[in-house]
Amino acid sequence: MSSIPQKNSTGKSDPKPESDESFIVERIYKAVMEQRLAPNTKLSEARLCETFGVGRMRVRRALLLLSSQGLIELQSNRGAYVACPDKSEANDVFAARMLIEPPLVRQLAQSSSDIDLTVLVDHIALEDAARIQNERTEIIRLSGEFHTKLAQASGNKFVFRMMRELVTRTSLIVGLFGSSQNASCPDDEHNNILKAIQTKNAELAEQLLISHLNHIQSGLDMESRQEPQDDLAAILGMD
């Protein structure tokens, strides 16, 4: 468990730098991206306060931020729950990604000589290393984040924000309707997309991206649902 903040001379707790709202948000975001925090899991304010060693105001601000990003749902008189997309929303998320990502990779390929692709190259290296080490949760997280790196490489901060939310919702969808076999993106598909971008083959990059998204969506079973977990401290890596 996390340690309790030390009190200063006035008797008030000094906030730990790693325990502010952004730290709580990133911890929960990471747990969602790694599919360790299941959809519809209740995020009790009291348990979050205990887990992070902070007061309710910090937790409430973090929950508001997470709600604005679409990661959680604040339900009147019930509290906060990890977002739980239904079949209709899942289809909408993939439709939105089809509208945004194929033109995005086409643009990256067409402008590859004018942009820095280091963020993508480095990310593929991290994916390869995680697979060699068989680090399942890291593979799952990195698989989703490749798509946010595509948006990051474009340099458009608004596209990046949209993609981060869409990728996070996709992670929830895969965690809810997917299986252990399709929890992460298939091997080599990301690398093939990057190679098409690097060689300025815009049409191929776009086709590979479309095929990739179809591959992910086709692996979902909309009739199955994963059960929420209970041990928040362990899930969030704070035990």
Side-chain angles (χ1 to χ4, degrees):
M1 296 291 292
S2 60
S3 60
I4 301 300
Q6 298 297 313
K7 292 185 177 181
N8 58 27
S9 59
T10 64
K12 296 181 179 180
S13 296
D14 288 321
K16 297 183 296 180
E18 71 274 18
S19 295
D20 62 8
E21 296 92 299
S22 63
F23 178 75
I24 298 171
V25 168
E26 286 303 313
R27 278 285 183 172
I28 293 175
Y29 169 77
K30 184 179 180 182
V32 169
M33 289 298 295
E34 293 177 350
Q35 295 174 22
R36 293 183 289 108
L37 194 54
N40 212 34
T41 299
K42 182 174 176 59
L43 299 176
S44 161
E45 285 188 8
R47 293 183 63 187
L48 289 174
C49 289
E50 180 184 0
T51 297
F52 290 102
V54 297
R56 284 186 179 269
M57 288 305 298
R58 285 186 181 273
V59 166
R60 287 172 182 171
R61 284 195 292 265
L63 293 176
L64 285 172
L65 286 169
L66 289 163
S67 177
S68 70
Q69 296 174 13
L71 269 74
I72 69 166
E73 297 172 354
L74 298 177
Q75 301 180 13
S76 179
N77 299 321
R78 294 193 63 210
Y81 290 80
V82 177
C84 188
D86 58 19
K87 181 177 180 179
S88 175
E89 183 175 342
N91 290 332
D92 286 347
V93 166
F94 278 98
R97 292 186 65 172
M98 280 293 187
L99 289 172
I100 296 172
E101 287 190 77
L104 172 62
V105 296
R106 173 177 282 275
Q107 181 184 22
L108 289 175
Q110 291 172 338
S111 309
S112 60
S113 59
D114 301 320
I115 60 177
D116 186 0
L117 297 176
T118 303
V119 65
L120 294 172
V121 174
D122 291 347
H123 190 84
I124 292 295
L126 291 175
E127 287 192 35
D128 291 341
R131 287 192 174 93
I132 291 172
Q133 297 297 323
N134 196 29
E135 297 175 346
R136 183 178 180 277
T137 56
E138 189 72 356
I139 292 169
I140 293 171
R141 180 180 65 82
L142 291 170
S143 291
E145 288 188 351
F146 171 78
H147 297 269
T148 65
K149 298 298 181 183
L150 288 171
Q152 184 178 340
S154 75
N156 189 315
K157 63 183 179 181
F158 297 103
V159 172
F160 174 77
R161 289 174 186 172
M162 286 189 293
M163 280 307 306
R164 177 176 162 118
E165 181 171 344
L166 286 170
V167 168
T168 305
R169 300 295 281 189
T170 302
S171 186
L172 288 168
I173 290 163
V174 173
L176 191 60
F177 300 112
S179 65
S180 59
Q181 286 72 36
N182 66 0
S184 60
C185 296
D187 295 0
D188 297 329
E189 291 192 6
H190 288 169
N191 196 32
N192 291 337
I193 292 169
L194 176 57
K195 287 179 179 178
I197 293 172
Q198 289 174 316
T199 57
K200 300 185 179 182
N201 194 332
E203 183 175 352
L204 178 60
E206 188 173 37
Q207 290 174 350
L208 288 172
L209 197 287
I210 291 171
S211 176
H212 181 56
L213 291 179
N214 282 331
H215 196 165
I216 298 171
Q217 188 173 15
S218 65
L220 302 177
D221 179 3
M222 294 300 179
E223 305 306 319
S224 68
R225 297 177 73 90
Q226 301 297 320
E227 293 299 320
Q229 302 172 59
D230 188 54
D231 190 350
L232 278 181
I235 293 168
L236 298 174
M238 303 294 291
D239 57 350

